[in-house]
Each structure stands twice: as C-alpha cells, then as structure tokens.
Amino acid sequence: MQQVNLGMIGGGTVGGGVFQALQRNGDLLAARAGVGVRLQRIAVKALDEPRKVEIPPALLTTDWRSVVADPQVHIVAELAGGTGIAREMILTALKLGKPVVTANKALLSACGEELFAAAREHGTNLYYEASVAGGIPIIKSLREGFIGNRILRIYGIVNGTCNYILTRMQLEGAEFADVLADAQRQGYAETPPDLDIDGHDSLHKIGILASLAHGFWVKPGQIHVEGIRNISKMDIQFAGRLGYAIKLLGVVKKMPAGTRRTAPANGGPVQVAVHPALIPHTHVLASVNDTFNAVFVRGDVVGDTVFYGRGAGQDPTASAVLSDLADAALDLKLGTRNRLPPFVPHERNGRVLPMADAVSRFYLRLSVADRPGVLAKVAAALARNKIGISSVIQPEGHEGASVPLILMIHDAPNRAMSRALAHIGRLPAVKAPPVMIRVENFE
Ligand code: HSE
C-alpha cells in the first residue's frame, strides 16, 4: 500500500476533527483509494492550548514553515482560517509544488484568483471542498458530477447560524434580537455575530460556487448582500399566512442572452446575490431548518438537484477535508497532479448582473395610518414605476391608528422597486421605513 504524508496547519475544531476522522477511518480511506494518508506533523498556535480533541504532543509544533517545508510532507492542509497569514501558508506550499487542502472560504473569496493561478503555475492543486456547506460535497459535484452541464441556477441556504435563528423565530414567534442573544449563549452563534448575520459568510460561499459554475472569478464586491438583522417576527408571521417561509438565500442565476447584437453567444450575465427571501412552503428549501444547509442546483442536462446536510462543525467539515485528502493522495499516487484543476477561468465574457437590473417578486410591509386614500397613494407610487400588486393584506384596525399593510408585488426590477419605495417612504401616512423582502419562485 502506497502512503502519502500530510502536514496540517491548525489544531482547532477543524484540525482536531480531521485528526480524529483520520484515526477513525484512515484505514477505510486507504482501502478505498489504494493509497493511505499519514499525519506527519501539525502546526498549532500554542502547544499548551486547551483542545477538544487530544492530539499526541509529539505531532505538534508551533512552526508552520517547518511543516510546509518538511520534505516528508507531501500534502499540506491549511485549517488555520483567517485572511492574514493563511494566504502566505497556502502560497508557500503551492510554490513548493505541494497540493493544498483548505476550508478557508473567506480567503478564497478574497484571493481565489491569485491562489488558483499559483496552483496552476506550480503544477499542483488546491482543494476546497470544506469551504462551502461543510459536509455537503457541492464542490466535487459542481467540478466533476456536473462537468457536462451548463449551470442555470444555484440557490443555497449556506449559513447555519442564520438558518437556526430564522427557524426559531418561525417556530417560537420570537424576535430576532432575543433569539440571537440566546443562540450566542448556547454557542450556536459567534460573538460578534456580524459575519454570519450580515450575510458575508454566505457571500463568500455563494461567490465560490458562482465562480466555479460560471468560469470567471466573481469578486466579493460584485455580490449584492443583505443579512437578516431586519427580519421581524411580524414578517415571518405574515409570510407564513401567505404560504412562505423566510430564509437567507444565496442566489446564482444565469440570465438568457438579451436581444442586443452585442450579447455574448453563451448567454447573458449572472445574477449573484445573498438576501433574505420568501420561499413557497411547497418548495423543498422551505423545509431546510435549524443549522442545516442545502444547495439547489439546476443544470441544463441534469435538471433540478438538491443537496442537504450539515454545513459546519467538526465532523462534517472533517468529512469534506478527508475527501480532498483522498483526491490529493490519488493525484500524487497516479502522477496526475492537476487532473482536475481547482478552478478554470474558461469564460472570458463572464459578467455579473447589476442588482438594480435583477427582476423578482417582492413582499412589502408598510406601517400606515388607517385613513381614506392611503392605499390609493401607495398603489399610485407603484403604478408610476410600472409595478403591479398581486395581493394585499391589511388586518382590521382602528380608523386613524397605524396598521400594517402587506403587499405582494408582481415581477419588477430592483431599480424600479427602489424608486417606488423612496417615494412611498416619504408619504406622510407611512409611519416607518418600508420593509421589502424578495420572493423567490425558483423559475
Ligand atoms: N458560521 C458558519 C455557519 C459556518 O453558521 O454556517 C462557517 O462558515
């Protein structure tokens, strides 16, 4: 049995999980792949840090450079995280021609192009299954399983923290701030929680998926992002009455080529966004609850597919890292060091659709004075922007008092909706900033 040696950087939750999974299933992996992965060294921040998973001290060092440079180390796993020194760790290993496995979505989102180019230049590979949706093999599916498909749609619930908070708000009728505080107390949400709840963790993951699916690197600044801070229990309840759940959704839509003569032959731009969305109860993604992740992929050959599982945590992430380790070990064994490049920039005309041009349906909640003519003024502001109403709810109130007014809006461009909302927000009868949430029908 051939064997390759692994140098790991990071002995925290993910590193500890990989150590444990290799102990548990390393022999199985070797039997299946025909090549074993042996842990040679682990670089950690401090030798005496408390660890959930006990690692033999003889494996530990605080010198990551010595791990990467060790001639006995054939594969490097960067599991340290962060966007600072992790970049240097990965580049150093790639320059030595060593394949690298990483779980680092934030770094890939910011520096993916540079890191993948370095892998190409040095004839080696960079594997990143664990960077998106934890234990769900979505990277491998896009890279290999769907290699013969044009990817028309990706919808992802890829942040467990947000999904957990929204699920509890829905089930308990609780407000965002209360659930967040409790989730932090219980260790389900980070402190500070901003990266998750403001949508940036989802943005990193959706950007990686969009880039991989469409063959050009989607930069984080090109992705429209909204988090879940402004979702209230009232919106979740009204959405429920209308037949929808609210989820934080990553959306990647390939638009058809326009009618203009300049439209590229291979279709139009790609919409890439992260925002809360109303999802019909009848759609499979509406029942993805708690900390679970799910990714929906529509290919032009395969049709619709859905992947579901745990998107974070020690064991699901370790499962993804082991899959990459097996691939890297096989490449080394077979001398196919770059059998399937990590990311191929094959789309020279690729571009991201400006969010203002993206079209969707909308849920709109206004707080209005209950007096004659208010609904007419709101409808007129929408009509002036060629926006149609598909349904209206106004719970019975007292004349003159403030009441919620819920409007479901037909397909409209975001630009027109923003103009109409600016107008509506200035109407004297409108008592609070309008709440607007997009509605996704998965067409
Ligand atoms: N904090 C993320 C989540 C996991 O809540 O899903 C790491 O990306």
Side-chain angles (χ1 to χ4, degrees):
M1 172 76 74
Q2 250 181 281
Q3 181 174 274
V4 295
N5 295 332
L6 167 67
M8 220 157 80
I9 308 173
T13 305
V14 179
V18 172
F19 172 79
Q20 207 169 46
L22 273 176
Q23 299 279 106
R24 193 202 303 171
N25 289 346
D27 289 348
L28 177 69
L29 183 153
R32 286 174 171 163
V35 52
V37 177
R38 183 181 149 275
L39 191 51
Q40 176 84 9
R41 301 288 298 284
I42 308 181
V44 293
K45 258 194 250 147
L47 296 177
D48 53 1
E49 261 179 337
R51 278 172 231 295
K52 280 197 216 133
V53 175
E54 212 173 299
I55 300 174
L59 284 176
L60 299 179
T61 172
T62 53
D63 181 7
W64 68 264
R65 287 180 192 280
S66 74
V67 172
V68 172
D70 183 345
Q72 295 300 311
V73 165
H74 308 119
I75 303 172
V76 172
E78 180 279 306
L79 306 173
T83 49
I85 192 135
R87 175 178 162 273
E88 196 188 338
M89 291 166 173
I90 293 177
L91 285 172
T92 305
L94 293 175
K95 281 177 189 159
L96 291 169
K98 298 188 182 187
V100 175
V101 173
T102 183
N104 198 331
K105 65 223 77 176
L107 182 65
L108 284 179
S109 170
C111 308
E113 268 181 309
E114 178 195 16
L115 299 176
F116 293 131
R120 233 181 357 262
E121 185 187 339
H122 298 284
T124 188
N125 216 326
L126 176 58
Y127 301 86
Y128 51 105
E129 184 62 70
S131 68
V132 180
I136 299 175
I138 190 62
I139 302 290
K140 202 174 179 74
S141 300
L142 282 172
R143 286 175 71 187
E144 301 189 32
F146 297 147
I147 195 165
N149 281 259
R150 289 186 188 280
I151 304 300
L152 306 175
R153 297 282 186 272
I154 300 175
Y155 298 101
I157 295 173
V158 289
N159 186 272
T161 306
C162 288
N163 207 36
Y164 175 80
I165 291 172
L166 292 172
T167 303
R168 281 193 54 190
M169 287 174 72
Q170 181 182 341
L171 295 180
E172 297 167 22
E175 281 295 5
F176 170 79
D178 298 332
V179 177
L180 172 62
D182 193 53
Q184 285 178 307
R185 268 194 301 277
Q186 294 195 44
Y188 283 107
E190 306 270 351
T191 305
D194 312 29
L195 189 68
D196 290 316
I197 65 173
D198 291 329
H200 292 280
D201 175 74
S202 297
L203 177 153
H204 297 151
K205 297 166 181 171
I206 286 299
I208 292 169
L209 295 184
S211 305
L212 187 55
H214 293 289
F216 67 97
W217 196 251
V218 177
K219 297 181 177 60
Q222 296 175 296
I223 304 175
H224 175 86
V225 61
E226 291 170 32
I228 63 166
R229 271 182 209 274
N230 297 327
I231 301 296
S232 69
K233 82 175 182 197
M234 207 195 296
D235 295 315
I236 291 185
Q237 285 166 351
F238 277 122
R241 272 175 65 177
L242 289 158
Y244 296 88
I246 298 183
K247 301 284 179 192
L248 184 67
L249 196 66
V251 177
V252 183
K253 290 187 191 181
K254 178 73 175 170
M255 309 313 289
T259 48
R260 288 178 301 148
R261 273 183 295 130
T262 51
N266 59 348
V270 183
Q271 180 186 333
V272 190
V274 171
H275 52 70
L278 269 69
I279 297 179
H281 281 148
T282 49
H283 194 273
V284 62
L285 290 187
S287 54
V288 175
N289 286 326
D290 300 315
T291 56
F292 278 92
N293 282 199
V295 184
F296 173 108
V297 180
R298 178 176 299 157
D300 65 343
V301 181
V302 70
D304 290 353
T305 60
V306 181
F307 300 76
Y308 172 85
R310 292 217 177 268
Q314 179 178 288
D315 291 344
T317 311
S319 166
V321 170
L322 257 58
S323 159
D324 280 350
L325 291 176
D327 265 346
L330 275 166
D331 270 353
L332 290 176
K333 176 188 163 189
L334 301 171
T336 53
R337 289 160 68 96
N338 217 349
R339 184 181 66 87
L340 199 59
F343 166 73
V344 185
H346 59 79
E347 185 47 81
R348 273 186 298 144
N349 294 322
R351 69 184 178 90
V352 174
L353 183 79
M355 195 60 187
D357 293 337
V359 170
S360 76
R361 297 185 60 215
F362 294 88
Y363 159 101
L364 187 57
R365 177 171 60 80
L366 307 174
S367 176
V368 298
D370 184 356
R371 58 174 188 250
V374 172
L375 182 56
K377 284 205 172 79
V378 170
L382 292 167
R384 249 197 307 280
N385 289 284
K386 300 190 167 50
I387 296 173
I389 298 168
S390 67
S391 79
V392 180
I393 301 179
Q394 186 194 303
E396 198 166 350
H398 297 291
E399 216 174 344
S402 280
V403 283
L405 175 62
I406 316 301
L407 302 151
M408 294 296 279
I409 304 294
H410 283 302
D411 265 345
N414 277 258
R415 176 180 286 108
M417 196 62 194
S418 303
R419 276 199 205 119
L421 283 186
H423 186 137
I424 290 168
R426 286 195 301 269
L427 293 173
V430 173
K431 300 300 180 196
V435 173
M436 177 274 277
I437 308 174
R438 294 173 185 83
V439 180
E440 187 53 67
N441 282 343
F442 302 93
E443 282 157 3

